[in-house]
């Protein structure tokens, strides 16, 4: 990729020489708006399928109920995460770490095999840009109509179309912001608060912050986010090799390019298959010309493949002048079967092995996870004291976290010193998915242990025997 990338020339972004800047221009060329043309084809359909799928999950998930609560809720205030049947506490952060590592490894794996699949099909920037472009297309018309509208003088039609587009964009953006906040505050309550205009200032802030980020990124920044802001575009070349599937132009077949009539004999004219219609450039959401070789601006969306295949069909020429191919496959004229065989290479096998091992490890750990957490804190106000009956007493505070969906009763016992007893001995009741602080006193007959600190253990068991946790503590015996 490196070779191809370095051989390529960016199409529109060009540094203007200092002399030009001094002669009145800026240091950099002004951004030129990209007007992607709509295209039909296999990859365009895949992109829309991914838009529907990702948005169905994103907008739908917070409305899903699980028992008496929201199925997916990250309740930061209560420091509790609910994911379907799982109740996670901050102590379960290891699972979040595992999830992040699995996501990173998946990205490495997919990128090594098929390039920027994530960027082209599932990245929120891609998905929302696609949605916003669709709205723009519906309101302002096709590519030519949009360009004419932007270039044209002020008119009532222009004003109405622009206003209408921005209102629809803002509606989508704010709904997205609302949904985002709905992952952190129960979304039905949030909806009621909104209707009764009693949302908290933080909720209002995040709805607007996330909403305007969506509006700005998908409505205005678009491809610039991928090119100038996203770090992944910069380091993904490190994950590419000559056997990675990338969108490639078959220059051997396409060059020399040139306009010709459908009935003419291109070979007799010394022409390749590219008719230089520029359709592949017009449909590109980042506005590049893939015929100049692989460029870091290419998000691998495959729309130029669809566009060129349509042209090839019209010219009654075989499809695939632009196609997903590997550098080795292109250079060696490999068959698709030969290209696919190279998927099984060491780098891919290592990523797959690591990913499978880690995923299974996290799943197994979740399955055998104890649905009970206990934190022990010493009561610093009374380290050790003699109480009625000649007992030496240490006081602790236990936080008991019930990670099940049922009310649980927990029995607390202590061990580690002869004659150690727990007061009060009664079981503690904790509501479903709730945590509760309880004061617990450990008592020991005075004189039965030497002076100093002794390690003891709290054993907390659920009454039905389904969960047990042991936590270490120290018992102080004064001189
Ligand atoms: S769409 Fe195909 S034929 Fe048209 S310019 Fe691009 S590569 Fe050439
Ligand atoms: S060059 Fe083709 S694959 Fe790359 S971003 Fe443009 S349209 Fe998508």
């Amino acid at each position: 990729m490196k070779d191809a990338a370095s051989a390529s020339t960016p199409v529109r972004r060009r540094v203007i020489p200092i002399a030009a800047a001094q002669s009145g221009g800026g240091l950099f060329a002004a951004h030129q708006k990209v007007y992607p043309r709509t295209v039909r084809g296999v990859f365009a359909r895949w992109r829309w399928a991914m838009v529907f799928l990702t948005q169905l999950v994103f907008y739908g998930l917070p409305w899903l109920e699980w028992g008496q609560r929201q199925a997916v809720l990250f309740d930061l205030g209560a420091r509790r995460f609910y994911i379907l049947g799982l109740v996670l506490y901050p102590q379960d952060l290891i699972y979040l770490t595992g999830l992040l590592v699995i996501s990173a490894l998946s990205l490495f794996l997919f990128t090594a095999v098929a390039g920027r699949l994530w960027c082209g099909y599932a990245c929120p920037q891609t998905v929302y840009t696609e949605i916003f472009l669709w709205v723009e297309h519906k309101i302002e018309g096709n590519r030519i109509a949009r360009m004419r509208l932007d270039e044209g003088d002020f008119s009532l039609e222009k004003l109405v179309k622009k206003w209408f587009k921005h209102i629809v964009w803002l509606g989508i953006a704010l709904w997205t912001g609302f949904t985002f906040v709905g992952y952190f505050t129960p979304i039905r309550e949030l909806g009621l608060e909104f209707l009764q205009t009693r949302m908290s200032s933080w909720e209002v802030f995040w709805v607007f912050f996330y909403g305007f980020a969506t509006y700005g990124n998908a409505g205005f920044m678009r491809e610039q986010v991928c090119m100038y802001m996203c770090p992944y575009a910069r380091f993904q070349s490190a994950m590419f090799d000559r056997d990675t599937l990338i969108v490639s132009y078959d220059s051997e077949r396409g060059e020399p390019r040139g306009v010709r009539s459908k009935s003419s004999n291109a070979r007799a004219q010394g022409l390749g298959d590219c008719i230089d219609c520029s359709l592949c450039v017009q449909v590109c959401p980042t506005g590049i010309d893939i015929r100049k070789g692989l460029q870091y601006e290419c998000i691998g969306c495959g729309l130029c493949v669809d566009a060129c295949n349509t042209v090839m069909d019209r010219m009654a020429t075989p499809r695939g002048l632009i196609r997903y191919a590997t550098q080795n496959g292109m250079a060696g004229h490999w068959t698709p079967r030969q290209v696919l065989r190279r998927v099984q290479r060491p780098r891919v096998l290592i990523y797959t092995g690591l990913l499978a091992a880690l995923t299974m490890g996290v799943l197994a750990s979740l399955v055998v996870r104890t649905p009970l957490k206990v934190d022990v804190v010493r009561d610093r106000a009374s380290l050790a004291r003699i109480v009625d009956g000649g007992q030496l007493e240490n006081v602790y505070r236990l936080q008991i976290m019930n990670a099940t969906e049922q009310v649980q009763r927990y029995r607390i016992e202590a061990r580690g010193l002869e004659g150690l007893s727990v007061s009060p001995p009664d079981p503690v009741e904790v509501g479903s998915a709730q945590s509760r602080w309880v004061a617990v006193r450990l008592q020991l007959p005075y004189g039965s242990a030497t002076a100093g600190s002794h390690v003891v253990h709290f054993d907390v068991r659920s009454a039905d025997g389904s969960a047990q946790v042991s936590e270490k503590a120290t018992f102080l015996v004064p001189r």
Side-chain angles (χ1 to χ4, degrees):
M1 181 217 163
K2 224 174 187 174
D3 299 342
S6 56
S8 65
T9 313
V11 183
R12 297 169 298 104
R13 288 148 290 278
R14 174 171 64 87
V15 176
I16 292 178
I18 297 290
Q22 285 167 346
S23 67
L27 274 178
F28 297 94
H31 169 250
Q32 288 171 23
K33 188 173 171 184
V34 178
Y35 294 88
R37 184 179 175 135
T38 310
V39 63
R40 288 208 176 97
V42 177
F43 299 108
R45 279 200 293 277
W46 269 110
R47 270 165 69 85
W48 273 108
M50 287 307 291
V51 169
F52 283 120
L53 185 68
T54 52
Q55 296 318 289
L56 190 70
V57 172
F58 176 71
Y59 291 119
L61 213 48
W63 297 96
L64 202 67
E65 292 281 293
W66 190 275
Q68 300 300 310
R69 60 166 172 80
Q70 191 168 311
V72 177
L73 180 67
F74 306 109
D75 191 342
L76 297 179
R79 301 203 298 165
R80 217 159 297 148
F81 294 170
Y82 304 94
I83 303 170
L84 305 181
L86 275 178
V87 182
L88 300 175
Y89 286 87
Q91 287 82 346
D92 294 310
L93 205 67
I94 185 74
Y95 295 112
L96 181 65
T97 314
L99 191 68
L100 290 178
V101 178
I102 288 173
S103 307
L105 272 175
S106 307
L107 200 62
F108 293 170
L109 174 64
F110 295 138
T111 308
V113 173
R116 295 177 69 179
L117 267 192
W118 165 258
C119 301
Y121 295 88
C123 171
Q125 180 61 25
T126 296
V127 167
Y128 286 104
T129 301
E130 191 77 356
I131 295 170
F132 276 47
L133 269 170
W134 179 82
V135 171
E136 193 169 77
H137 177 91
K138 288 290 163 201
I139 295 173
E140 295 185 358
N142 64 21
R143 178 172 187 264
I144 303 288
R146 297 202 302 272
M147 288 164 88
R148 286 205 184 118
L149 191 73
D150 280 357
E151 278 162 17
D153 293 333
F154 174 80
S155 67
L156 185 63
E157 184 201 0
K158 185 170 180 172
L159 185 74
V160 169
K161 282 185 172 173
K162 292 284 176 195
W163 267 101
F164 187 41
K165 177 182 83 174
H166 285 282
I167 285 167
V168 177
W169 278 2
L170 277 169
I172 296 171
L174 289 175
W175 185 250
T176 307
F178 176 82
T179 304
F180 173 75
V181 175
Y183 279 91
F184 300 91
T185 298
I187 200 161
R188 286 179 166 77
E189 288 173 27
L190 190 68
L192 269 181
E193 286 173 15
F194 170 74
L195 291 176
Q196 295 165 358
T197 59
R198 55 179 181 85
M199 277 166 76
S200 76
S201 51
W202 274 114
E203 288 164 350
V204 172
F205 170 79
W206 282 110
V207 168
F208 276 89
F209 181 84
Y210 199 83
F212 278 109
T214 307
Y215 176 67
N217 288 342
F220 300 94
M221 303 285 288
R222 294 186 177 171
E223 79 286 352
Q224 296 177 81
V225 174
C226 313
M227 293 191 293
Y228 306 123
M229 292 163 72
C230 176
Y232 177 52
R234 304 287 167 165
F235 71 74
Q236 40 101 22
S237 61
M239 291 175 247
F240 277 37
D241 58 30
R242 292 185 62 83
D243 290 309
T244 299
L245 274 177
I246 48 176
V247 174
S248 318
Y249 167 69
D250 190 343
S251 55
E252 224 173 272
R253 187 186 140 188
E255 301 297 323
R257 67 188 76 161
V259 183
R260 84 289 310 262
S261 70
K262 192 179 168 186
S263 54
S264 65
N265 185 341
R267 294 288 174 260
Q269 296 174 52
L271 290 173
D273 281 346
C274 174
I275 65 167
D276 208 13
C277 62
S278 84
L279 216 61
C280 50
V281 182
Q282 293 176 36
V283 299
C284 179
T286 63
I288 59 168
D289 186 346
I290 195 66
R291 294 173 299 171
K292 297 186 177 204
L294 181 61
Q295 296 141 76
Y296 79 89
E297 294 98 327
C298 174
I299 56 169
C301 65
L303 295 183
C304 53
V305 179
D306 282 340
C308 193
N309 281 343
T310 314
V311 177
M312 293 298 109
D313 288 351
R314 264 192 235 131
M315 300 301 291
T317 317
R319 289 179 160 207
L321 177 57
I322 301 177
R323 61 182 183 271
Y324 279 99
T326 65
Q327 283 180 288
N328 276 337
M330 197 67 106
H333 304 102
W334 288 359
T335 61
R337 188 185 283 263
Q338 285 174 303
V339 170
L340 282 180
R341 209 174 293 145
R342 284 296 298 158
V343 168
Q344 297 162 34
R345 54 193 190 276
R347 165 196 293 236
V348 174
L349 295 178
I350 290 171
Y351 285 151
T352 309
L354 285 175
L355 189 61
L358 192 66
T359 308
M360 279 161 57
V362 169
L363 286 178
S365 159
L366 274 173
V367 169
V368 300
R369 166 178 171 268
T370 307
L372 166 65
K373 309 260 169 253
V374 176
D375 270 350
V376 179
V377 181
R378 281 195 65 90
D379 186 345
R380 301 210 172 270
S382 63
L383 289 180
R385 62 192 178 198
I386 308 283
V387 294
D388 292 348
Q391 297 279 322
L392 177 64
E393 183 177 273
N394 280 202
V395 183
Y396 306 83
R397 277 162 50 79
L398 266 63
Q399 187 186 21
I400 301 175
M401 292 164 264
N402 175 7
T404 71
E405 301 280 354
Q406 296 82 37
V407 176
Q408 296 282 357
R409 286 163 67 80
Y410 297 105
R411 186 165 290 284
I412 304 169
E413 290 167 1
R415 59 187 161 85
L417 285 172
E418 196 64 39
L420 199 61
S421 63
V422 175
S423 176
D426 314 321
V428 176
E429 192 172 280
V430 184
S432 74
Q434 298 295 315
S435 74
R436 182 175 163 189
W437 283 97
V438 285
V440 176
R441 303 192 300 276
L442 283 191
Q443 293 179 343
L444 190 71
Y446 186 69
S448 63
T450 55
S453 72
H454 299 265
V455 174
V456 293
H457 286 88
F458 282 99
D459 292 331
V460 182
R461 279 190 197 87
S462 60
D464 61 5
S466 62
Q468 176 180 339
V469 165
S470 289
E471 279 295 319
K472 209 163 79 172
T474 52
F475 188 92
L476 292 180
V477 178
R479 290 178 199 285

